[in-house]
Amino acid sequence: MTASTVQANALDDARVQLAEAVAVLGYPEGLHRILGAARRETTVSVPLVRDNGDVEVFTGYRVQHSIARGPAKGGIRYSSEVNLDEVRALAMWMTWKCALLDIPYGGAKGGVDVDPRTLSPAELERLTRTYTQGISPVIGPDNDIPAPDVGTDEQTMAWMMDAYSATRGRGVPGVVTGKPLDLGGSLGRRTSTSRGVAHISLLALAKEGIAPSSATAVVQGYGKVGADAADYLAEAGVRIISVSDRFGAVHNTDGLDLSRLRAHSEERGTVAAFGGGLPIDPAAVLELDVDLLVPAAVEGVVNADNASRVCARIIVEGANGPTTAEADKILERSGVLVVPDILANAGGVVVSYFEWVQAQQGYWWTLSDVERGLDDRMTAAWSSVLDQAATTGSTLRRAAMALAVGRVARAHRARGLTH
């Protein structure tokens, strides 16, 4: 499956999930169209003068799917696979994620079609500032708040905040989240998505009657989310037997030494050739016989081609859209418990919300305050989804989507945007 096919499927999958929720909720076609349409789509040219004087022109995007429940919120992705359809899908999923966690945001997403590994730090800064200038008319602390995503980090957010602030003539720390602590970032933000994934994973294991000390797990995508999620799970007693990244994978049935693995990955830039386990085909990691599978990389990795070979009892979606609609049906027939992305990986947007609140108030919380608030929000959302699934006899994804879409629809109706 090619990258373009995965991206196209991501938007198709997002639309299928919405259509199923609309059918469950009994909404009319007009409301369905409103819920499925992005409020604003912005495409900008991003010229970059390379260090050698050459000029390249990249394309940047910012899609605001909804502002019915509050300002738009969503990450910025730097990847050569970014395109408008991918950003549309990710923005829509952000809308449902924020609604499900009862955060007063709508959904947005952005990105630039560039491989950040090919740029020097100076080039990345120039690219980020130019992109920020291009989208500055549509972002801001009261209307659209970006955050880090694939290929971006807290340094990217610092450059974005500075570039946006320059256009306003004052410091505007609330324009982005995921910033460095010295610029108004929040304690606990860097690992918040990972912590949320691990927290939900442990709740899912408990639901299935599996003790962490006897559980085995695989993390597909040992990166920004997957590495810390693996550490959190291991701290709880889960045995991580295999991890993968885009360059390779490693397997050890006795459990990987995660401290050594992290050191190796940071030094080499990959888990490949790690001496604490055997090399394995990265695709095979998804099919290992484990209690828990955490796909934490990109969209569409569990699909119609491999879903029937997935042996995990539980899938907790650390990435956005890692399971296609076709795979969902196969996994449901196989009895695999799939915890959807809009619940499982919502920890990042929860703590982004906390960071935004702190910036608006000019008052910063302790790490224990942040982590306690994150755990409480994730547990409450998990309980709501479980109750909805039990009441309706549906999968966790359908239950989560029905709850989220229902909240957004009620906001539209309350604002008088539909009947």
Side-chain angles (χ1 to χ4, degrees), residues 379-405:
T379 301
W382 167 260
S383 297
S384 296
V385 171
L386 279 190
D387 289 346
Q388 176 76 8
T391 300
T392 60
S394 65
T395 65
L396 297 186
R397 190 184 311 280
R398 293 194 192 101
M401 283 294 296
L403 286 170
V405 172

Side-chain angles (χ1 to χ4, degrees), residues 247-313:
F247 303 110
V250 61
H251 177 72
N252 186 331
T253 54
D254 294 327
L256 294 165
D257 183 331
L258 295 182
S259 61
R260 286 181 56 211
L261 177 63
R262 183 181 285 270
H264 171 91
S265 178
E266 290 175 352
E267 179 184 351
R268 304 284 186 91
T270 176
V271 301
F274 175 59
L278 298 175
I280 185 176
D281 182 349
V285 165
L286 296 163
E287 301 170 13
L288 293 174
D289 187 2
V290 290
D291 298 301
L292 173 67
L293 167 62
V294 179
V298 294
E299 310 96 274
V301 296
V302 181
N303 50 61
D305 295 334
N306 62 8
S308 62
R309 298 191 298 276
V310 170
C311 297
R313 292 179 58 181

Side-chain angles (χ1 to χ4, degrees), residues 97-282:
K97 187 182 300 183
C98 293
L100 181 64
L101 273 291
D102 204 16
I103 296 170
Y105 285 147
K109 209 73 174 185
V112 180
D113 66 343
V114 61
D115 184 347
R117 297 170 301 172
T118 66
L119 303 184
S120 70
E123 290 169 340
L124 277 172
E125 180 176 355
R126 292 196 293 273
L127 177 98
T128 299
R129 291 182 181 276
T130 302
Y131 170 64
T132 304
Q133 291 166 5
I135 65 171
S136 63
V138 302
I139 64 173
D142 298 319
N143 55 306
D144 183 359
I145 307 107
D149 199 271
V150 174
T152 59
D153 56 20
E154 64 177 23
Q155 179 61 73
T156 315
M157 295 303 105
W159 291 329
M160 289 195 73
M161 188 202 80
D162 187 65
Y164 179 86
S165 296
T167 70
R168 298 302 187 266
R170 60 185 176 86
V172 189
V175 67
V176 296
T177 58
K179 302 179 297 296
L181 293 177
D182 289 338
L183 293 178
S186 175
L187 294 169
R189 172 60 183 87
R190 186 186 64 80
T191 59
S192 55
T193 303
S194 306
R195 182 181 178 90
V197 168
H199 186 76
I200 292 295
S201 295
L202 295 173
L203 291 173
L205 287 169
K207 178 185 181 301
E208 296 298 290
I210 304 171
S213 59
S214 64
T216 55
V218 161
V219 176
Q220 182 269 337
Y222 189 80
K224 187 182 301 184
V225 174
D228 286 318
D231 286 344
Y232 281 125
L233 288 169
E235 287 173 10
V238 177
R239 179 159 41 103
I240 311 298
I241 67 168
S242 190
V243 301
S244 69
D245 59 26
R246 69 173 65 193
F247 303 110
V250 61
H251 177 72
N252 186 331
T253 54
D254 294 327
L256 294 165
D257 183 331
L258 295 182
S259 61
R260 286 181 56 211
L261 177 63
R262 183 181 285 270
H264 171 91
S265 178
E266 290 175 352
E267 179 184 351
R268 304 284 186 91
T270 176
V271 301
F274 175 59
L278 298 175
I280 185 176
D281 182 349

Side-chain angles (χ1 to χ4, degrees), residues 53-123:
D54 291 345
V55 176
E56 292 188 48
V57 180
F58 302 95
T59 303
Y61 307 96
R62 187 67 180 174
V63 172
Q64 297 165 352
H65 176 257
S66 175
I67 59 166
R69 287 173 46 86
K73 187 78 182 79
I76 300 292
R77 178 172 293 196
Y78 286 177
S79 167
S80 56
E81 298 174 356
V82 164
N83 65 29
L84 186 55
D85 278 351
E86 179 190 47
V87 177
R88 285 168 170 158
L90 294 167
M92 189 184 301
W93 281 325
M94 278 300 301
T95 295
W96 315 138
K97 187 182 300 183
C98 293
L100 181 64
L101 273 291
D102 204 16
I103 296 170
Y105 285 147
K109 209 73 174 185
V112 180
D113 66 343
V114 61
D115 184 347
R117 297 170 301 172
T118 66
L119 303 184
S120 70
E123 290 169 340

Side-chain angles (χ1 to χ4, degrees), residues 347-383:
V349 75
V350 170
V351 179
S352 278
Y353 170 58
F354 294 165
E355 181 180 333
W356 178 78
V357 169
Q358 292 170 76
Q360 299 296 82
Q361 295 176 337
Y363 179 82
W364 275 262
W365 306 350
T366 66
L367 179 59
S368 61
D369 288 337
V370 171
E371 292 184 340
R372 182 171 58 253
L374 170 59
D375 293 349
D376 288 348
R377 287 266 182 167
M378 298 297 287
T379 301
W382 167 260
S383 297

